[in-house]
Amino acid sequence: MSVLSGKRILLGVCGSIAAFKAVALASQLNQAGAEVTTILTKDAARFVTPLSFTSVTQQPAYIDLFTPDPGRILHIALAEKADLLAVIPATAHTLARLAQGLSDDLLTCTYLSTRAPVLVAPAMDGGMYSNAATQASLATLRDSGAHVVEPLEGRAASGLVAKGRMPEVDALIAEIRAVLGKNGSLSGKIVVVTAGGTQEPLDPVRYIGNRSSGKMGFALAEAARDCGARVVLIKAATTAPPPLGMTSVPVTTAADMQAAVNEHTAQADALIMAGAVADYRPETARDQKTKRTGDPLAIRLVENEDILAQVPRTLVKVGFAAETEDVLKNAEKKLTSKGADLIFANDVSHPESGFGADTNRVVVLSKDHSPEPLPLMAKSEVAAVILERVAALVQERSHA
Ligand code: PMT
């Protein structure tokens, strides 16, 4: 289950042209299983209407502090049941009101009343954003524990190019997920995840690669982030859209990946290797593009080191086994030879569990238990199961 599933999100919307993105955001949060109730400032309602939000969330959207709500005081009832108050977009005026504790409308009264985490996503022209008054408001809000989404450099509706542009919906959802997961099962832990396929150069234009899209690794990195972990994503070649809200380290070859894994696991609690690593590389990469000669061409390959095997056992080590035959037998060998705590075996000859698929079917292997086949699931669901197991091992290890 996603960290958004069943969460009650109060979406505060302010009077900015970026308010149109809040409608798409509300819709996506609703589709991900969150219950989204919207509070519009009166100026937000000049740009978008309560009806827009009720239509996409099937929940009420309020403007007026004094909306009759029989048996309850509206802002207190909203504040008490929220898992998160997200003010998106947040204007300079509302940021100042929140920072100063003014309580002159439904949004500000609810902010003062709630004990839920608060996220604000500023959206305004660069001059307003960089103004000392706005920065002071943001500093006050940060000090009081609010999570501030960093605006982007870019073109504002006015045509001015500066920092103040609100990030797109996917990035906002990543930030919301990270805030909701902050006190999760991996809170305060560091998890390193590898994703994608390494590329071993033959010459300046060609390489030996594989079919990894990065989807499995990205789903794992997102699931770790949603459990509250600080995630380092070591990303080889991929085709899927990369996840947000984590440190991303790009690599090309298996040797690059090994160096990055060694550097970032020094402080980590767990390593999950979902990346597809070349076991062999060309002994030499030519300096210039290889030309056709009319004769067969032999390429001598030499073995790459086993990255997972050489990582110390002090951290939780998790690998995959990408097999096309004797899946269990080969995966069992990898569990031992790589000194892994867990190996997830997938039969990559199946279209539903292989490279590029949105789903996976894995068998869980560990030292102390017999192999456990899991049903076919979306890669995001497989990732959530894997992270549960990883979190349990990390907890065990930290109490040992
Ligand atoms: O990226 P997708 O399109 O979503 O596809 C997902 C996947 C099929 C790539 C993924 O589920 C998967 O199986 N990843 C592991 C791919 C792989 O390299 O498997 P392997 O059986 O060759 O290696 C076993 C384990 O050792 C892996 O965790 C691998 O990362 C690691 N390894 C391999 C070689 C090497 N030199 N060093 C390693 O550490």
Side-chain angles (χ1 to χ4, degrees):
M1 267 211 310
S2 136
V3 70
L4 290 168
S5 182
K7 291 290 173 0
R8 288 173 299 206
I9 298 177
L10 270 182
L11 177 63
V13 182
C14 305
S16 154
I17 183 59
F20 79 93
K21 289 186 192 170
V23 180
L25 172 69
S27 171
Q28 287 201 26
L29 291 172
N30 176 58
Q31 288 171 50
E35 182 189 297
V36 182
T37 303
T38 311
I39 302 175
L40 295 87
T41 64
K42 73 177 181 347
D43 287 332
R46 293 168 179 256
F47 293 90
V48 282
T49 68
L51 183 61
S52 318
F53 291 98
T54 51
S55 303
V56 297
T57 64
Q58 297 88 51
Q59 295 296 325
Y62 302 99
I63 302 175
D64 186 2
L65 174 61
F66 301 106
T67 306
D69 194 25
R72 322 188 294 170
I73 299 170
L74 180 59
H75 66 277
I76 293 176
L78 292 174
E80 278 181 352
K81 77 169 207 179
D83 293 306
L84 173 74
L85 170 61
V87 184
I88 302 175
T91 55
H93 182 60
T94 291
L95 289 170
R97 290 189 301 145
L98 297 177
Q100 289 174 33
L102 300 182
S103 52
D104 55 356
D105 68 0
L106 181 58
L107 177 58
T108 49
C109 286
T110 307
Y111 166 76
L112 286 181
S113 306
T114 194
R115 295 296 163 259
V118 173
L119 173 150
V120 295
M124 62 200 76
D125 266 317
M128 290 175 82
Y129 178 72
S130 61
N131 188 286
T134 306
Q135 289 305 312
S137 302
L138 288 169
T140 304
L141 290 169
R142 279 195 190 95
D143 284 349
S144 64
H147 176 83
V148 178
V149 177
E150 202 64 18
L152 306 174
E153 294 266 349
R155 188 180 181 281
S158 62
L160 297 176
V161 178
K163 187 169 178 178
R165 190 183 154 80
M166 195 169 79
E168 297 304 321
V169 171
D170 286 353
L172 294 168
I173 288 183
E175 302 259 5
I176 288 171
R177 286 172 60 155
V179 173
L180 286 171
K182 211 169 177 178
N183 298 319
S185 54
L186 286 166
S187 176
K189 305 293 181 194
I190 302 176
V191 176
V192 177
V193 178
T194 68
T198 60
Q199 297 179 339
E200 309 297 323
L202 287 158
D203 66 22
V205 297
R206 302 185 184 91
Y207 57 81
I208 297 176
N210 62 65
R211 301 174 200 278
S212 173
S213 62
K215 285 180 185 174
M216 191 66 247
F218 290 172
L220 287 157
E222 284 187 327
R225 178 201 63 201
D226 293 354
C227 290
R230 190 144 69 71
V231 179
V232 179
L233 173 64
I234 297 175
K235 191 173 85 60
T238 55
T239 49
L244 301 157
M246 60 192 68
T247 305
S248 187
V249 180
V251 295
T252 305
T253 63
D256 295 342
M257 184 178 275
Q258 182 171 12
V261 164
N262 289 345
E263 180 185 341
H264 292 282
T265 50
Q267 306 296 324
D269 298 281
L271 166 66
I272 308 176
M273 291 209 51
V277 188
D279 283 319
Y280 289 90
R281 66 179 184 279
E283 186 169 38
T284 50
R286 295 173 182 223
D287 289 339
Q288 302 300 331
K289 184 179 170 196
T290 311
K291 295 278 185 256
R292 177 192 283 275
T293 61
D295 291 324
L297 177 67
I299 299 166
R300 192 176 146 79
L301 301 176
V302 293
E303 222 173 10
N304 281 326
E305 228 183 300
D306 189 322
I307 305 172
L308 188 55
Q310 51 91 60
V311 167
R313 286 178 187 229
T314 43
L315 74 168
V316 173
K317 296 205 303 179
V318 178
F320 277 73
E323 306 297 342
T324 55
E325 57 178 348
D326 295 332
V327 175
L328 275 188
K329 208 169 93 199
N330 287 325
E332 263 158 10
K333 271 193 212 153
K334 285 178 183 170
L335 180 71
T336 313
S337 67
K338 290 168 190 278
D341 294 283
L342 294 169
I343 286 282
F344 292 86
N346 42 194
D347 184 341
V348 292
S349 64
H350 267 271
E352 63 196 12
S353 58
F355 296 105
D358 289 326
T359 53
N360 205 352
R361 189 195 300 278
V362 297
V363 180
V364 192
L365 288 101
S366 65
K367 275 194 302 277
D368 306 326
H369 299 95
S370 39
E372 181 192 352
L374 299 182
L376 181 71
M377 290 186 272
K379 281 182 174 165
S380 58
E381 293 169 319
V382 175
V385 173
I386 292 176
L387 262 298
E388 256 175 44
R389 311 277 170 117
V390 170
L393 287 172
V394 167
Q395 288 309 328
E396 233 173 65
R397 197 96 15 128
S398 60
H399 292 129

